Amino acid sequence: MTARVPAAVTAEQDTPYVRMLEQVRYHGAYSTRERAEEVVSAVLAALGRRVTGEERVELAARLPREAAQIFAAQVPGAEPMTGWAFVRDLADRTGGSLATTRWDVGSVLGVVARLAGPDLLDRIIGRLPSGYGILFGRAELVQAA
């Protein structure tokens, strides 16, 4: 006899947000979906404080509804923040180490990059200060002085 999974559980497991969480869980090697969700919430909130303009609207439209709500609920900061400052700020807010926070950021933003697509991601990275390309899993070329 095979055990049947209730329909509500099956439907919940197949939402875009749950799929996003599972991708982050896999790429970040988190032991539970709950831990992946904590990381996703923290990183998307931090990103929501940085991305502005049309790119903000387009990215929110490409994220799963729950993720878009976390992202869009934030008021963008007025001061520019480099990628490294972004990681430091998030570490301060979450109480994590710099290394763990950098790992968390990369785990989430790598998935966000795939959801955004290359054209939108290019525009987002182009509008942010230096250091964000690598956080999204992209090489960042710097011109020699």
Side-chain angles (χ1 to χ4, degrees), residues 11-33:
E12 176 206 323
Q13 304 250 343
D14 197 32
T15 67
Y17 184 62
V18 169
R19 286 193 299 270
M20 178 186 186
L21 294 178
E22 287 301 323
Q23 288 176 18
V24 170
R25 181 179 176 192
Y26 175 79
H27 291 290
Y30 301 110
S31 60
T32 65
R33 185 186 304 159

Side-chain angles (χ1 to χ4, degrees), residues 28-140:
Y30 301 110
S31 60
T32 65
R33 185 186 304 159
E34 291 74 21
R35 176 64 184 134
E37 188 165 22
E38 290 171 12
V39 170
V40 165
S41 292
V43 173
L44 285 178
L47 187 63
R49 291 188 289 274
R50 298 290 120 216
V51 178
T52 60
E54 194 61 32
E55 291 78 15
R56 178 182 179 85
V57 174
E58 287 185 47
L59 181 57
R62 294 183 190 192
L63 293 172
R65 183 178 44 84
E66 298 88 339
Q69 289 171 340
I70 295 164
F71 171 75
Q74 306 305 309
V75 176
E79 295 298 316
M81 184 181 283
T82 66
W84 182 238
F86 176 85
V87 171
R88 279 195 324 261
D89 180 64
L90 185 57
D92 289 344
R93 289 174 185 268
T94 62
S97 71
L98 290 174
T100 301
T101 303
R102 171 59 184 92
W103 179 266
D104 293 344
V105 167
S107 298
V108 175
L109 294 187
V111 173
V112 169
R114 286 188 288 285
L115 292 170
D119 294 338
L120 176 56
L121 185 58
D122 285 345
R123 291 187 1 245
I124 290 170
I125 292 170
R127 289 184 54 117
L128 292 169
S130 68
Y132 283 87
I134 194 79
L135 299 178
F136 281 99
R138 290 229 177 134
E140 194 163 328

